[in-house]
Amino acid sequence: RVVGGAGGRDPFQRAQVERARAAIESVVPAGALVLAEDDLGRPSENISHYTHADSHYAGELPLLRSHPARAAIGYAIDGRPVFALVGSERGELAGALREIGTLRVVERRRGDALLEWFVDPSAAPQGASLLSLEVSGPVLEAARQWREAEAPAR
């Protein structure tokens, strides 16, 4: 429906999808996790569908019995990069991730440039930021020890 859509009413057309895929994949490697704030439109569905990255909304993680920090740590333990797509660098998602590591700004966008991240510009009038997360060494080590302790005996 998105790519073969019904005309001007669809938010993304084929050319926009191709540009967005290229933009995301230029900075987010295959297999990475992109955690997104819930109110940016529908970037997670599109990132997961059109790129080689995984994406989840922070608000859906409790339904999966998880939390942004837990999901991020799980990916980081496996050596997979973690990113956050946020409307506010001081918001709840960024705050939760700062508790386990360091966030750095990869890029900031505003207006129609947000479409290249599958973000609806009307949902993010102040723009959005793509942040990368480096989980701290002590957090990773504690998580590895917990994972080993919880692993079934072989």
Side-chain angles (χ1 to χ4, degrees), residues 36 59 85 127 142 152:
L85 185 55

Side-chain angles (χ1 to χ4, degrees), residues 1-5 10-26 28 30 42-55 115-119:
R1 166 145 164 70
V2 174
V3 173
D10 288 338
F12 295 101
Q13 300 298 314
R14 183 178 303 276
Q16 288 174 307
V17 167
E18 294 302 323
R19 280 193 304 274
R21 175 187 292 133
I24 293 285
E25 290 184 343
S26 73
V28 176
R42 296 182 58 192
S44 281
E45 292 91 337
N46 289 312
I47 290 169
S48 290
H49 185 76
Y50 293 113
T51 75
H52 295 100
D54 299 327
S55 187
L115 293 170
E116 292 185 353
W117 289 349
F118 298 109
V119 172

Side-chain angles (χ1 to χ4, degrees), residues 43-92:
S44 281
E45 292 91 337
N46 289 312
I47 290 169
S48 290
H49 185 76
Y50 293 113
T51 75
H52 295 100
D54 299 327
S55 187
H56 293 283
Y57 294 107
E60 78 180 356
L61 291 172
L63 299 172
L64 301 171
R65 296 184 180 189
S66 192
H67 177 275
R70 176 185 271 177
I73 290 168
Y75 273 69
I77 285 174
D78 293 336
R80 296 167 70 184
V82 178
F83 295 84
L85 185 55
V86 299
S88 171
E89 293 172 28
R90 301 199 184 284
E92 191 174 325

